Amino acid sequence: YQYTYPFDADLDMCPVCGDTVSGYHYGLLTCESCKGFFKRTVQNNKSYTCSESQDCRIDKTQRKRCPFCRFQKCLRVGMRLEAVRADRMRGGRNRFGPMYKRHRALKQQKNALLQSHGLKAEYTPDLISPPTRTPFNFTNININTTPSDTITSDLHTQTHSGYSFYQNEPRHESPQYYHVSPLGALYSPVHAMAVIGDCSGIPGIPQAQCSGSFSAQGPALPHLLVEFLRCELDELQVRSKIIGRLEQMQGEGGSGGYGATHMYLMVDQMLFYIVEWARGSVFFKELKVSDQMKLLHHCWCELLVLDMVSRQLQHGRQGSLVLVTGQEVDLPALVSPAGPLLRTLVQKGQDLVESFRKLQVDRNEVVCFKFLILFNTDVKHVENQSFVENVKEQVHRALLEYTLCAYPQFLDKFDKLLLCWSDLCALSTLAEEYLCSKDICGEVPCNNLLNELLHAKHHSM
DNA sequence: ATAGCCTTGAAA
DNA sequence: TTTCAAGGCTAT
C-alpha cells in the first residue's frame, strides 16, 4: 500500500458514500444515488430506524443497508433540506447558484496554489520507502470516529416548526421550499468548522470537498497528520515527570529557588522529552541512531522554542510565561533584572507568540511544524539523506493540505506559516546563544543533555 | 426502494 | 442562448 495524496482523488468523491460525484446536489457535490436518496427521503417524509448503533459505515457497497445512517450522514456532510422543493417545481435555479459558483472558484484557486508550490496531484509511488525496516503501513489508520449526534431523521419534527428559507420572496412562480428548523443548521459541518476556521464567506458549503470525507468533528485530516498526532507525548504526564525530576534534583543540589539554575535544569528536562518524542516518532525511528543524532543536534533548539511558543499559545496570557511545569512566570519581573540577551529573547519570543496568535496557528499545524523542523536538514552527512528529504516533502504537503482545508478562506496562511518559521529560527539562534552564555549555565553540572547538545553544536561549527 | 438517465426552466 | 441543478421516470 502506498500513501496517495488525496487532494484530487477525493474531489470527485461523494462525501456521503464515496461514489463519483455527478454535480452539485442540495448544497454540495454528491453522487447521483445520494442525490436521489436525499430527495426521496425529504419529499416523502420518510423516517428510518437503525438496527445497529446508529453509526453504520456508509460506502458505495453498503449505502443501501442502513438508510437511517445514510440520511444522518447526508445531513452531517451538509446536504440542505431547504434545497428540496415542497411544490416539486422543476427546472430553474435556486438561491444556491452563487454559492456553487463561489465554491468552484475557491477550488480552482486552491489548485492553482497547490501548483504554485510545485505539488502535483499525481503522486510518485515510491517516494516513501524507509531505509531498512518494513514500510510504514497507512492502511490501519482509521480517522472516522463516530460522532454521537442527535439529528433526528424524522422530518415531521423539523418540517413545520421552522422558518422558510424563501420567506422573503413573494414571487409566486418561485418554488416553495420545505420549512426547516434552524436546529438543522446547528449540526451542519459548517458550524463545526466555525470553531477552527473562518468560513463565513461560504455559508452552507462545508469543506467536505477540500479533501474528501468530513467527520462531524471537522475536516478529514491528512493521513500523515493523524500519524503525527499519535506520536505526541501526553503533556500532563511529561509535566508530572519533569516536576518530579526537578524536585529530586533540587533536593540533592541544595538551592530550591526558581532562578537561572532552575531554568537550566528545566530546559534540560524538556530536551530529554523532546528527544524521547523524536525517538518514538514515525519515520524518525526508522533512521539509524547516528542519523537521528545528527538531526537532533541540528534542530533541538528550534523544537525547544516551538514547544515554549505553542505552550504560550495554549495556556499563556500576555505578560506572563507558562513553563512546562505549569508555573506561571511574570514577564516584567523576569525581564527587569535581566541582561540584554534575555531581554531581547523575551521580547522576540513575545512577538513570535503574537504572530502565531494572529495567524491562528492551531495544534495540528504546530505538530506538523515539529516534524518539518525535525527533518529540515540542510546538513550533509546524513546517511539516508534522500529518505529524510522525502519525509520533509511529505510533511510539507500534509501541512499545506491541512491548512488549505481547515482555513479555506485564508489562502496564504501556509506561506505566512513558513515566514513564522524563519522568525522561529532566528529566535532559536538567540536562545542558543543565551543558553551558552554565562548568564545561565554558570553553576550547573556539566553532565547533562543541554550541555552536550550545546557542546556538539560548537564542535560542528 | 434504488440509481441511472431524462426533462425542465430560471438564472447567467 | 446556454447552463446545470432541480424533479421525473423506470428498469432492476
Side-chain angles (χ1 to χ4, degrees):
Chain A
Y1 184 84
Q2 75 201 31
Y3 174 67
T4 50
Y5 192 56
F7 220 93
D8 265 15
D10 288 3
L11 273 178
D12 20 34
M13 275 175 77
C14 174
V16 180
C17 72
D19 205 349
T20 48
V21 306
S22 66
Y24 287 91
H25 305 295
Y26 309 107
L28 44 78
L29 289 166
T30 72
C31 71
E32 195 68 17
S33 74
C34 290
K35 163 200 158 192
F37 172 77
F38 190 77
K39 181 186 69 179
R40 286 192 303 274
T41 303
V42 179
Q43 282 182 336
N44 305 323
N45 267 308
K46 305 253 188 189
S47 51
Y48 310 109
T49 47
C50 177
S51 55
E52 302 290 319
S53 46
Q54 309 198 348
D55 59 354
C56 304
R57 280 246 179 296
I58 304 298
D59 58 32
K60 193 183 172 180
T61 54
Q62 292 191 312
R63 66 193 176 199
K64 282 197 239 185
R65 190 120 86 195
C66 181
F68 178 90
C69 292
R70 189 180 186 182
F71 189 62
Q72 297 259 78
K73 194 161 178 190
C74 285
L75 294 173
R76 207 164 64 217
V77 301
M79 290 183 82
R80 302 300 214 96
L81 293 161
E82 318 90 281
V84 181
R85 297 169 185 171
D87 60 359
R88 303 201 161 196
M89 181 201 253
R90 309 174 72 194
R93 289 288 154 89
N94 62 22
R95 185 177 273 186
F96 291 115
M99 195 172 77
Y100 296 142
K101 194 179 165 189
R102 185 158 186 181
H103 183 251
R104 264 192 275 259
L106 202 64
K107 256 182 12 180
Q108 211 174 343
Q109 248 184 106
K110 219 159 58 177
N111 279 333
L113 197 70
L114 271 173
Q115 297 207 343
S116 78
H117 281 280
L119 304 181
K120 292 207 201 105
E122 304 83 53
Y123 187 72
T124 331
D126 56 349
L127 203 54
I128 286 292
S129 50
T132 45
R133 299 184 210 176
T134 48
F136 188 78
N137 190 348
F138 287 96
T139 48
N140 297 328
I141 303 169
N142 172 22
I143 57 166
N144 288 324
T145 47
T146 50
S148 57
D149 47 15
T150 50
I151 306 172
T152 170
S153 78
D154 181 7
L155 289 174
H156 294 280
T157 62
Q158 298 195 352
T159 304
H160 302 291
S161 58
Y163 58 91
S164 166
F165 195 64
Y166 277 73
Q167 64 186 356
N168 295 325
E169 287 185 15
R171 294 182 55 190
H172 285 290
E173 316 89 81
S174 70
Q176 295 168 18
Y177 288 82
Y178 282 86
H179 292 242
V180 176
S181 157
L183 198 68
L186 218 63
Y187 290 101
S188 88
V190 178
H191 192 269
M193 283 300 292
V195 178
I196 55 170
D198 174 23
C199 50
S200 55
I202 39 167
I205 280 289
Q207 276 66 28
Q209 286 77 30
C210 293
S211 177
S213 58
F214 202 99
S215 74
Q217 282 88 10
L221 300 176
H223 294 177
L224 262 194
L225 178 49
V226 176
E227 227 17 69
F228 292 165
L229 288 169
R230 289 188 177 179
C231 299
E232 287 293 282
L233 302 179
D234 180 59
E235 165 99 18
L236 287 177
Q237 216 167 319
V238 168
R239 169 177 299 181
S240 67
K241 281 182 186 169
I242 289 185
I243 291 174
R245 188 87 184 92
L246 285 175
E247 277 173 359
Q248 188 188 337
M249 290 206 283
Q250 271 153 6
E252 290 166 6
S255 73
Y258 289 109
T261 309
H262 178 265
M263 286 293 256
Y264 189 92
L265 292 175
M266 191 192 67
V267 168
D268 184 51
Q269 285 299 306
M270 288 172 76
L271 285 171
F272 178 86
Y273 286 100
I274 285 175
V275 172
E276 185 166 298
W277 160 78
R279 283 163 52 95
S281 290
V282 225
F283 301 130
F284 190 84
K285 64 182 173 196
E286 310 290 340
L287 288 166
K288 280 182 159 184
V289 172
S290 58
D291 279 352
Q292 293 186 346
M293 287 179 68
K294 280 178 194 143
L295 291 184
L296 278 171
H297 276 147
H298 185 252
C299 70
W300 62 270
C301 197
E302 281 167 51
L303 288 172
L304 187 72
V305 171
L306 179 62
D307 189 64
M308 301 278 288
V309 167
S310 67
R311 186 166 299 104
Q312 308 320 307
L313 225 50
Q314 275 180 32
H315 330 275
R317 277 175 285 164
Q318 289 212 331
S320 71
L321 184 73
V322 179
L323 307 175
V324 237
T325 53
Q327 298 161 296
E328 206 168 330
V329 178
D330 190 49
L331 275 179
L334 177 75
V335 166
S336 56
L341 199 53
L342 185 57
R343 269 170 199 273
T344 40
L345 193 60
V346 166
Q347 184 54 52
K348 300 222 168 177
Q350 278 182 292
D351 292 348
L352 190 62
V353 171
E354 197 42 46
S355 45
F356 266 55
R357 184 162 286 140
K358 272 190 196 148
L359 256 186
Q360 301 178 57
V361 179
D362 66 29
R363 176 164 172 267
N364 294 334
E365 287 159 341
V366 168
V367 170
C368 278
F369 242 88
K370 283 164 70 169
F371 278 86
L372 219 47
I373 290 170
L374 186 59
F375 285 91
N376 180 49
T377 171
D378 41 348
V379 283
K380 284 270 177 225
H381 312 309
V382 174
E383 266 181 68
N384 213 315
Q385 193 163 9
S386 63
F387 174 70
V388 171
E389 268 168 16
N390 284 338
V391 172
K392 189 167 119 187
E393 159 102 19
Q394 292 297 306
V395 183
H396 213 262
R397 277 175 186 234
L399 179 57
L400 175 61
E401 186 190 325
Y402 170 78
T403 304
L404 284 176
C405 291
Y407 305 90
Q409 298 305 100
F410 196 170
L411 285 171
D412 61 344
K413 183 173 188 186
F414 181 75
D415 294 321
K416 291 194 171 158
L417 276 174
L418 292 186
L419 280 179
C420 273
W421 186 7
S422 57
D423 289 345
L424 193 144
C425 287
L427 188 58
S428 141
T429 311
L430 210 62
E432 226 169 302
E433 202 178 316
Y434 172 70
L435 290 172
C436 281
S437 71
K438 293 283 170 280
D439 291 5
I440 180 163
C441 62
E443 45 190 292
V444 187
C446 292
N447 55 341
N448 58 50
L449 184 56
L450 176 51
N451 200 4
E452 185 196 314
L453 288 169
L454 286 167
H455 193 69
K457 184 82 179 190
H458 276 275
H459 269 277
S460 68
M461 305 262 280

